[in-house]
Amino acid sequence: MVYTKQVVMAGESRRIVIGVTVDQSFRLLEGFPQFLSREGWDVHLVSSPGAGLEKFSHESGITTHSLPMVRNPSPLRDLVALARWVRLLRRIEPDVVSVGTPKAGLLGSIAGAALRVPNRVYMLRGLRLETATGVGFAVLRFAEQVAARASHRVLAVSTSLRAKAIELNVAPASKIVVLGRGSSNGVDIAAFSRARYALSELQELSLRLGLKPGVPVIGFVGRMSVDKGLQVLTEARKLLSQRGTAHQLLVVGGSDTQPSVATKGEDLRSLSTVYTGHVPDPEIYFQVMDVLCLPTFREGFPNVVLEAGASGIPTVTTTATGAIDSVVDGRTGLIARVKSAAALSERLEEILTNAEQRERMGRAAFEFVNDHYSREIVWSLTEQFYASMVLNSSPARETRNDAAFRLGPDRPRSGE
């Protein structure tokens, strides 16, 4: 069956399918499906079964579809999932398919191309292949290339991610779009506001965590994985200690795998470190930090930096893809050379030893986030992007796009 849906006219319902591989990934889109529904979209959400998908099942204007997918390559199970994607899209007949995360992005894009869905978007939130090598790199890049080629647009969440995707030949520059200043979902600024908390509440939290009064707190929020650069932070902290720069580290988050030297080894423990483990609501923890540190090797666009800015604290991060877009160096925080413990320690020392600078950068970070990254701003830009695709689509344009869906070299297309 060939998809033949015509252009949706003004005033008619617009139907969108949003797909991710596992239900937990819907946290990357918190609030956005409901926003689309309020804007008149008929929203369909697709993921593997789980509570993260189920919670949308009672939302007005949102329909959920459970479609089992596995993260790692599995030819037989992937073929079954692809067949289910095709059946699902044939039944829904969407105006837009927007898919992200590697497996859903690949399968959903291929299914959409097979049915000639008129508007197909691949959400590029990061590139795992950046830190892969050998066969793993080749497999990941091929999957990204197929997903991108099967889509009309690749929506990258940061300018540097777009540049990296072009450099790695994931897709041509003409196909990759960044909306506004990037980010996939913005940040709920009110949720991270310092005004939500009484001073006594923050003092109680610091006491419960065992943080030392009067000693600047470096915060880390996120998964304790190798790509987040915690081993580099460990080495940077050793250099800080050798120079007598007082500090302590608060780690908010759990580990992807088993604890490792890079995250929970004796070196890090010996440097005055407090671990919370995974916490469902990290908002209050930002308020007991003096500076956030994200020593990452790769990102798409780090939400945690936006959360820090909404909390009124600066960030020290790296020149890594995605991370470099999240901080205005010298204004909202500081940027160090990626994977360099020496550079990271210098930047941390600069901000740890200057309370006035921290306060000034914290205020600037809040203004920057408020001006560019509130959820309402990011949501509106994304909704307008989808709506413009629908209004500009046509049967002639669709024929050209699908004729260009090849596994060989991509070519620029007229009108794109």
Side-chain angles (χ1 to χ4, degrees):
M1 177 178 176
V2 174
Y3 193 98
T4 59
K5 193 175 182 73
Q6 300 300 308
V7 177
V8 176
M9 302 303 292
E12 292 186 16
S13 175
R14 298 163 296 178
R15 187 170 301 154
I16 185 169
V17 169
I18 298 175
V20 295
T21 306
V22 295
D23 63 302
Q24 296 98 319
S25 293
F26 281 120
R27 72 183 186 276
L28 301 172
L29 297 169
E30 184 180 359
F32 183 58
Q34 294 91 330
F35 174 81
L36 285 177
S37 178
R38 293 194 297 271
E39 293 296 310
W41 290 82
D42 177 15
V43 182
H44 293 255
L45 302 181
V46 182
S47 79
S48 296
L53 179 66
E54 178 64 24
K55 72 177 183 179
F56 291 101
S57 60
H58 303 296
E59 295 273 1
S60 176
I62 298 176
T63 305
T64 59
H65 305 273
S66 176
L67 198 161
M69 290 171 277
V70 292
R71 286 178 167 176
N72 295 323
S74 176
L76 181 58
R77 296 171 75 179
D78 291 345
L79 283 173
V80 171
L82 177 59
R84 289 171 174 164
W85 264 105
V86 170
R87 288 196 297 269
L88 180 63
L89 295 183
R90 180 179 290 141
R91 185 171 75 249
I92 296 173
E93 293 192 335
D95 300 292
V96 179
V97 169
S98 180
V99 286
T101 67
K103 188 59 68 71
L106 177 63
L107 300 179
S109 296
I110 293 174
L115 294 178
R116 297 186 182 177
V117 175
N119 301 287
R120 304 186 297 273
V121 179
Y122 178 42
M123 283 292 304
L124 187 62
R125 296 188 177 93
L127 287 167
R128 288 173 55 195
L129 60 90
E130 274 200 78
T131 50
T133 57
V135 174
F137 173 86
V139 170
L140 288 170
R141 186 169 71 167
F142 179 74
E144 296 283 0
Q145 289 172 327
V146 172
R149 195 149 298 140
S151 303
H152 296 109
R153 287 286 184 268
V154 176
L155 190 52
V157 298
S158 69
T159 301
S160 62
L161 180 61
R162 178 181 184 272
K164 181 60 68 172
I166 294 167
E167 176 190 330
L168 295 174
N169 196 31
V170 168
S174 60
K175 181 176 277 191
I176 310 177
V177 180
V178 179
L179 301 180
R181 301 197 61 143
S183 174
S184 62
N185 203 44
V187 62
D188 183 350
I189 291 174
F192 289 86
S193 172
R194 184 167 295 178
R196 293 182 58 195
Y197 307 103
L199 178 60
S200 59
E201 188 176 4
L202 300 180
Q203 290 172 335
E204 180 183 349
L205 176 61
S206 294
L207 184 64
R208 176 162 54 84
L209 291 171
L211 294 173
K212 300 174 183 178
V215 178
V217 178
I218 301 171
F220 173 89
V221 181
R223 295 175 292 105
M224 292 192 291
S225 63
V226 173
D227 284 355
K228 292 298 180 182
L230 281 171
Q231 182 60 55
V232 176
L233 178 56
T234 300
E235 298 303 319
R237 294 186 66 205
K238 289 179 183 178
L239 295 173
L240 289 173
S241 295
Q242 290 170 8
R243 294 197 290 265
T245 304
H247 69 282
Q248 53 193 323
L249 176 66
L250 173 61
V251 177
V252 181
S255 176
D256 281 352
T257 55
Q258 297 179 357
S260 68
V261 173
T263 58
K264 302 189 76 172
E266 291 303 318
D267 285 343
L268 196 55
R269 287 192 179 279
S270 66
L271 293 168
S272 185
T273 305
V274 175
Y275 297 95
T276 68
H278 172 74
V279 297
D281 301 304
E283 292 90 341
I284 191 173
Y285 293 90
F286 284 94
Q287 302 302 334
V288 296
M289 300 174 188
D290 292 286
V291 57
L292 178 78
C293 183
L294 181 63
T296 184
F297 298 168
R298 66 171 179 87
E299 298 286 330
F301 189 106
N303 291 330
V304 67
V305 177
L306 300 183
E307 293 166 354
S311 304
I313 65 171
T315 294
V316 174
T317 190
T318 72
T319 54
T321 302
I324 196 170
D325 303 87
S326 65
V327 166
V328 181
D329 194 24
R331 180 183 162 204
T332 68
L334 299 172
I335 298 177
R337 189 170 69 256
V338 66
K339 298 184 179 180
S340 170
L344 185 63
S345 69
E346 290 171 3
R347 305 257 74 182
L348 284 170
E349 183 173 25
E350 179 180 341
I351 206 165
L352 289 170
T353 56
N354 191 330
E356 182 180 347
Q357 182 186 45
R358 291 199 302 270
E359 289 294 325
R360 183 175 67 253
M361 287 185 170
R363 290 192 298 270
F366 176 82
E367 292 171 1
F368 181 64
V369 169
N370 189 58
D371 289 346
H372 301 290
Y373 295 106
S374 73
R375 282 191 168 167
E376 291 74 16
I377 291 173
V378 175
W379 289 346
S380 293
L381 286 171
T382 309
E383 191 276 333
Q384 290 166 18
F385 170 75
Y386 291 144
S388 68
M389 289 189 74
V390 173
L391 291 175
N392 292 326
S393 62
S394 69
R397 174 180 180 273
E398 177 57 21
T399 299
R400 290 195 303 273
N401 285 338
D402 284 294
F405 176 41
R406 304 277 193 273
L407 296 186
D410 215 333
R411 302 185 303 276
R413 294 192 290 270
S414 60
E416 296 229 329

